[in-house]
Amino acid sequence: MPQYAILIYETELPGGAADIPPEVMEANMAVEGRIAEMGARVVYEPALQPASTTRTIHRDGMVTDGPFLETKEVIAGFFVVEAADLDQAVAIGRLLPIMDGAVEVRPLLPV
């Protein structure tokens, strides 16, 4: 089954996960079960440290603090799913409760 990366972009909250509203956390916790009901599965789902812990290596070799892009949204999380096709992966991405950001669904190259 093809694999897709689902990247979640959100405005970073000062208190991190502790500042996420309870209803958003509950909706997030329910997503994996809904994915299984669709006949897809989560392959990998790591947790990310805050963007302040990020280091970016530039083309000239310079290393800077923080993420590469200067935006209010950061990659708040990501996971990899196995889904039948891109349409199903997008349907999975639509399950995610987004407060102030977006979800990107990107097909992975086969290994």
Side-chain angles (χ1 to χ4, degrees), residues 30-93:
V31 168
E32 192 164 353
R34 294 179 69 191
I35 292 170
E37 290 170 3
M38 296 171 72
R41 77 180 183 100
V42 175
V43 177
Y44 184 61
E45 187 178 12
L48 296 177
Q49 294 287 339
S52 61
T53 64
T54 303
R55 299 297 176 268
T56 298
I57 304 164
H58 298 268
R59 182 173 38 179
D60 62 3
M62 182 174 66
V63 177
T64 58
D65 293 347
F68 177 67
L69 298 175
E70 296 289 332
T71 65
K72 68 177 187 164
E73 291 90 12
V74 296
I75 297 177
F78 75 96
F79 57 101
V80 175
V81 297
E82 286 184 340
D85 54 29
L86 182 58
D87 289 336
Q88 185 180 42
V90 168
I92 291 167

